[in-house]
Amino acid sequence: MSNLPSDRYYLSPSAVEQLSTHQFAGFTPELIALSDITPYTALDDFDQTLRKAGGLLLDTGATLELIEADGRLFSQDRDAPVMFKSDIPDGELAQRLNHLSPLRRLMPMGSGLWQRARLDFVDAAKGVKCSLSMVFLTGAADRAVAVAIWHEPEQADEQVHRLRQRLSRLGTGTGPDSIGPGDEADQHDMNWVDALFPLEHPYDAKPTIRLDQDACADDAANEIVAALIPVARANEPGIIADHDSEFLHDYRIQLRKIRSVLGQYKKVYKKSDIESIKDLLSNLMKMTGRLRDLDVQLLERPRYYDLLPQSLHAGLDTLFDLITQTREVEHATVAELLSSDSYQNDIQKLSAMFTPSGALAKGRHARKPARAHADKLLLKRFRKVCKLAARIDLDASDKQLHSLRIHCKKLRYPLELSASFYPAGPLNAQIAALKKLQDTLGRYNDYAVQQQNLIKALLDIPLQDGAPDIEVAQSIGALIAILRTRQREERARIHKSIERFTSEASQASFKSLIRPETPVASAK
């Protein structure tokens, strides 16, 4: 019998009942349970990576069960609770979850019951001519679905074709029409996981912002900021609960993007209003910055152990014990901040400012066309990046490289946030080239920051008889030497990235983003 991914169907309880209790086309159905009915907890990360891919990961307590979008089921025993991808034992299931971020915690998204079964269709001669391999699942609020894979002989006769046509009417190979409780008409926009576990407000770290080509600058700015604030706020519970480090990372990215918008549209609003908002954002960045630095250090822990010989691991143990203790204190401070009435009042007022009825006073550029405003800004920032990049040679200082990195960020944020103004092809090509340059500069900067953080950590280690802990000092010294070498290697790659980004092809791609009549002056 065939077992192709395209032979996958999603069936409602009523569809399963009809198929399993009524004879059709000369076949008698026989439903065979292949496992006990077992409770499960569905796991996914905050980005809903599995849901978006049409997959579902079940934790039954004793096993992990992965149902992929094509209906195939993969099982794996587990001995301990799974919180991150690294907690999943090696095996085929773990390999099929390689697309999950190792930094994101796998959290419960719902629970229910599940069971494996097979529905055979027996002919008059008592032979099984075709069958369905099924997984029955219940979800939230009495929702249920059967994920089924159809098997038929290579030489299927007319009876088998008639049965399959009936199956196609009752279910669907793409998942939209008969999943969920009953046969509700509103299921057509959902995938089968949505039907089991509806998500009222899906999280999207990069929300699609569609700006009207004729929008005024203040309307565009309001729309962008109004889209970013909820994304930042969606991360607050995860930061407070300390689920994983990405919640704080995403939160801070949104704050930076909002600051970028305020810089991009600085003459759209009254200066005094914008300054108070920028002060609020700067304070939040400052108050969460130390925790982010500590998170980054702890994320480097496995790599640091790999870099150093076993003889220097004792010093690392002491170092990371101190970092962990410091982080606990810092996290408690940030959690208290985000839970405070003053913060909640400030962030709610900020949200209200960027609504149509908001209290922000308009500046002299408020009613200027947003598209023209974006064109002018992007040209200016692109030229600035190219100008700085042209000055980078083998003798360029770290300060120059850092300045180039900052200006790349200042270009990338408005590129992404104003994306709806520009053709997707040239835009994506330009963003990809810019990202490669940013990644190279970022790695170089990371090596520098790591060395600074290690030196600071050494100074924070309690003295022993008036001197630094010798084991820690040796470990940190060895790490700094390795990081310095890698930083030099990364620097050599920067020049190649700069050449690609400032090439004639790249500049032509950037020119295609703006109106044809707008000239792009040479940056060099």
Side-chain angles (χ1 to χ4, degrees):
M1 295 185 184
S2 68
N3 184 7
L4 302 174
S6 59
D7 296 331
R8 177 262 290 121
Y9 296 87
Y10 301 117
L11 302 170
S12 68
S14 61
V16 173
E17 182 181 9
Q18 291 183 56
L19 288 168
S20 62
T21 60
H22 295 79
Q23 290 186 342
F24 185 81
F27 293 114
T28 300
E30 291 185 1
L31 184 61
I32 303 167
L34 301 179
S35 69
D36 294 332
I37 298 174
T38 306
Y40 73 85
T41 299
L43 302 177
D44 205 347
D45 59 29
F46 189 62
D47 294 317
Q48 300 293 308
T49 303
L50 289 171
R51 177 194 293 267
K52 292 173 182 176
L56 190 65
L57 179 63
L58 315 180
D59 185 349
T60 70
T63 64
L64 295 173
E65 312 287 341
L66 175 63
I67 305 172
E68 294 196 328
D70 60 15
R72 288 183 296 172
L73 176 68
F74 299 89
S75 301
Q76 189 143 339
D77 293 338
R78 69 110 166 138
D79 298 323
V82 171
M83 291 191 293
F84 292 88
K85 184 175 74 171
S86 58
D87 297 325
I88 300 174
D90 290 338
E92 187 173 11
L93 184 145
Q95 292 174 4
R96 292 186 171 276
L97 294 175
N98 273 340
H99 61 293
L100 294 178
S101 168
L103 304 180
R104 298 246 68 157
R105 180 179 291 227
L106 293 168
M107 300 183 296
M109 59 179 280
S111 60
L113 301 173
W114 86 293
Q115 182 184 34
R116 292 174 55 243
R118 188 179 74 243
L119 181 59
D120 290 339
F121 296 94
V122 182
D123 62 13
K126 304 300 182 182
V128 177
K129 293 296 294 289
C130 46
S131 66
L132 284 169
S133 298
M134 296 192 293
V135 177
F136 297 130
L137 296 149
T138 65
D142 297 324
R143 292 170 175 265
V145 65
V147 183
I149 294 181
W150 172 257
H151 309 270
E152 67 178 36
E154 290 184 7
Q155 299 298 325
D157 58 24
E158 180 61 28
Q159 289 175 297
V160 173
H161 287 313
R162 286 179 59 200
L163 180 58
R164 183 162 185 174
Q165 287 172 357
R166 184 174 187 237
L167 174 62
S168 297
R169 290 193 297 270
L170 290 171
T172 173
T174 54
D177 292 328
S178 60
I179 52 179
D183 295 311
E184 299 175 8
D186 64 355
Q187 298 297 325
H188 69 281
D189 287 330
M190 295 184 178
N191 71 24
W192 71 278
V193 181
D194 291 328
L196 274 179
F197 300 106
L199 196 60
E200 187 175 354
H201 300 293
Y203 178 73
D204 187 353
K206 294 183 177 181
T208 300
I209 303 172
R210 302 193 183 282
L211 302 175
D212 192 307
Q213 290 285 341
D214 298 322
C216 292
D218 61 333
D219 292 333
N222 283 349
E223 189 170 346
I224 294 171
V225 176
L228 296 176
I229 293 175
V231 180
R233 300 219 60 194
N235 287 282
E236 293 169 1
I239 298 171
I240 295 169
D242 206 15
H243 289 315
D244 65 49
S245 61
E246 289 299 281
F247 285 96
L248 179 63
H249 183 45
D250 282 1
Y251 175 84
R252 287 170 54 81
I253 287 175
Q254 306 313 316
L255 296 189
R256 281 199 293 267
K257 286 182 177 180
I258 295 171
R259 287 200 306 186
S260 174
V261 174
L262 297 181
Q264 178 179 349
Y265 293 96
K266 59 185 177 182
K267 294 182 180 179
V268 167
Y269 303 109
K270 188 177 178 181
K271 184 177 179 180
S272 57
D273 288 347
I274 294 304
E275 290 303 318
S276 63
I277 296 173
K278 289 171 70 174
D279 287 344
L280 170 63
L281 298 174
S282 295
N283 286 335
L284 290 174
M285 291 294 288
K286 181 178 180 180
M287 296 178 75
T288 57
R290 176 60 174 154
L291 178 58
R292 177 57 188 167
D293 289 343
L294 293 167
D295 281 342
V296 171
Q297 286 181 272
L298 290 174
L299 290 172
E300 292 293 335
R301 174 162 41 188
R303 192 164 69 94
Y304 284 175
Y305 277 92
D306 288 341
L307 289 174
L308 296 187
Q310 186 74 34
S311 59
L312 294 177
H313 283 188
L316 290 182
D317 293 341
T318 303
L319 170 65
F320 282 110
D321 283 346
L322 177 66
I323 293 174
T324 300
Q325 294 169 17
T326 305
R327 188 198 176 279
E328 289 176 358
V329 174
E330 198 64 35
H331 172 261
T333 301
V334 171
E336 183 178 1
L337 164 70
L338 297 182
S339 303
S340 67
D341 291 340
S342 60
Y343 169 79
Q344 294 297 324
N345 289 335
D346 286 343
I347 205 74
Q348 288 169 14
K349 288 179 182 177
L350 179 64
S351 298
M353 288 179 182
F354 292 93
T355 61
S357 59
L360 286 175
K362 298 184 187 300
R364 66 178 186 270
H365 289 177
R367 305 313 292 170
K368 286 194 172 184
R371 170 64 191 267
H373 187 93
D375 287 349
K376 183 178 179 180
L377 176 86
L378 290 172
L379 278 171
K380 179 180 178 182
R381 293 191 176 179
F382 179 73
R383 290 177 182 136
K384 180 68 174 180
V385 168
C386 290
K387 184 177 180 180
L388 292 174
R391 295 173 180 171
I392 301 299
D393 55 23
L394 295 177
D395 297 321
S397 65
D398 285 356
K399 184 177 180 181
Q400 286 177 286
L401 293 171
H402 180 67
S403 177
L404 176 59
R405 175 174 165 269
I406 294 301
H407 281 280
C408 284
K409 277 187 180 183
K410 288 184 176 182
L411 173 60
R412 184 174 171 184
Y413 285 152
L415 262 180
E416 293 179 336
L417 295 172
S418 304
S420 60
F421 285 149
Y422 305 105
L427 173 73
N428 292 335
Q430 194 64 40
I431 290 176
L434 180 57
K435 185 178 184 300
K436 287 180 181 179
L437 176 56
Q438 277 187 281
D439 288 346
T440 307
L441 291 167
R443 285 191 295 270
Y444 182 86
N445 183 70
D446 287 345
Y447 286 132
V449 171
Q450 288 175 47
Q451 292 173 61
Q452 295 167 7
N453 286 338
L454 286 169
I455 293 172
K456 185 179 185 306
L458 178 61
L459 297 176
D460 289 340
I461 296 286
L463 299 178
Q464 295 183 351
D465 299 325
D469 185 309
I470 187 63
E471 287 186 331
V472 176
Q474 287 176 334
S475 298
I476 288 179
L479 276 175
I480 289 175
I482 293 172
L483 292 172
R484 190 167 293 154
T485 299
R486 295 198 171 188
Q487 186 183 19
R488 285 196 295 267
E489 293 170 351
E490 197 63 47
R491 180 168 184 137
R493 300 185 184 98
I494 290 175
H495 298 284
K496 292 183 179 179
S497 297
I498 288 175
E499 288 175 4
R500 284 193 296 267
F501 183 74
T502 58
S503 67
E504 291 184 6
S506 179
Q507 295 202 38
S509 174
F510 197 92
K511 184 176 181 179
S512 71
L513 292 176
I514 57 177
R515 289 188 171 90
E517 63 270 18
T518 307
V520 180
S522 173
K524 298 183 180 181

